[in-house]
Amino acid sequence: MFSPPTDQSRPLRRLMPVLLLAAFAGGCSSGAAPTSYDLSAPTSRIRGAAGVQVLVNEPAALQTLSSQQILVKDANGTVSFLGGGQWADNLPRLIQTRLINTFENASQLRGVSRPSSGAVADVQLVSELRSFEIATPSNEAVVEISVKIVGDRDGRIVNGRIFRARTPVAAVDAPNAARALDESLSTVMLDIVRWVSGSQLPRREEPSDVRSEAPGTDQLPT
């Protein structure tokens, strides 16, 4: 014989859809989150360009490189992404930060910062991230960055160069790929710092360097 629901059973029945939804959401989120990998800023002793201030712009990049994904590219140019790992930040922004850190660690520059800092600089570094991937079937970590030195006062290109590095990768998985790409980038960043430090860089005139050219007063003979 059917008995009507009691007052005690009604709250449980009202909660059933909520409990089922929570169980479903828990099952969907049970996958492990990808490991985040940072990039390092190498330290060295590079002489030159003392007293110069440099602004380092965020590298321009295609959409496939403007993300946190770790890329794999085969000989036909087909791009895929490695599962289980990602970069700690958007890749161009992360490279900009680590390049600034490398200048601070290795160079004799008076100051280096990003354009948003509002600092007045002698030159800017304008760059493009061309490659940052694991190349297969050669299994190499390939990094290629094009860099231009631009005078901050007049916007003229002082010099330009493309920097490349390749590092063998032990296995095409996230930990080995991140390690090899970090090694290639460290090589490229030190080469960039060495190149900038050894270049003839234009400098802004500072107020303290501008002297009055008013004619002197010669002492009249008595």
Side-chain angles (χ1 to χ4, degrees), residues 5 15 23 25 33 44 69 85 129-130 134 138 141 153 172 186 190 198 219:
L15 285 174
S44 185
Q69 303 289 338
L129 182 61
R130 294 186 169 192
I134 301 300
S138 61
R153 182 176 60 180
V172 184
S186 292
L190 283 175
Q219 188 176 14

Side-chain angles (χ1 to χ4, degrees), residues 110 120-122 153 202-211:
R110 180 172 61 185
V120 176
D122 300 295
R153 182 176 60 180
R203 305 195 185 195
R204 282 180 174 268
E205 289 184 355
E206 298 183 357
S208 59
D209 295 332
V210 180
R211 299 180 180 179

Side-chain angles (χ1 to χ4, degrees), residues 26-103:
C28 292
S29 61
S30 60
T35 302
S36 292
Y37 294 94
D38 201 352
L39 295 168
S40 57
T43 300
S44 185
R45 295 177 62 87
I46 298 173
R47 298 184 178 277
V52 176
Q53 294 197 141
V54 176
L55 295 180
V56 177
N57 288 266
E58 182 178 317
L62 295 175
Q63 185 175 359
T64 52
L65 291 169
S66 297
S67 71
Q68 293 180 254
Q69 303 289 338
I70 302 176
L71 270 62
V72 177
K73 183 181 288 187
D74 65 19
N76 296 321
T78 302
V79 175
S80 58
F81 305 104
L82 280 179
Q86 64 181 14
W87 300 117
D89 198 352
N90 177 273
L91 184 58
R93 184 165 56 243
L94 183 57
I95 291 176
Q96 178 194 29
T97 299
R98 295 297 171 249
L99 183 54
I100 290 173
N101 297 154
T102 304
F103 270 105

Side-chain angles (χ1 to χ4, degrees), residues 133-187:
E133 73 257 355
I134 301 300
T136 59
S138 61
N139 289 3
E140 293 178 303
V142 180
V143 173
E144 181 176 311
I145 302 178
S146 170
V147 183
K148 294 180 177 65
I149 302 174
V150 179
D152 192 68
R153 182 176 60 180
D154 55 15
R156 296 181 62 182
I157 297 175
V158 177
N159 206 348
R161 183 176 165 185
I162 298 173
F163 297 85
R164 303 181 182 90
R166 289 175 173 263
T167 302
V169 59
V172 184
D173 56 28
N176 286 285
R179 187 180 304 111
L181 284 165
D182 183 51
E183 185 175 340
S184 288
L185 180 64
S186 292
T187 299

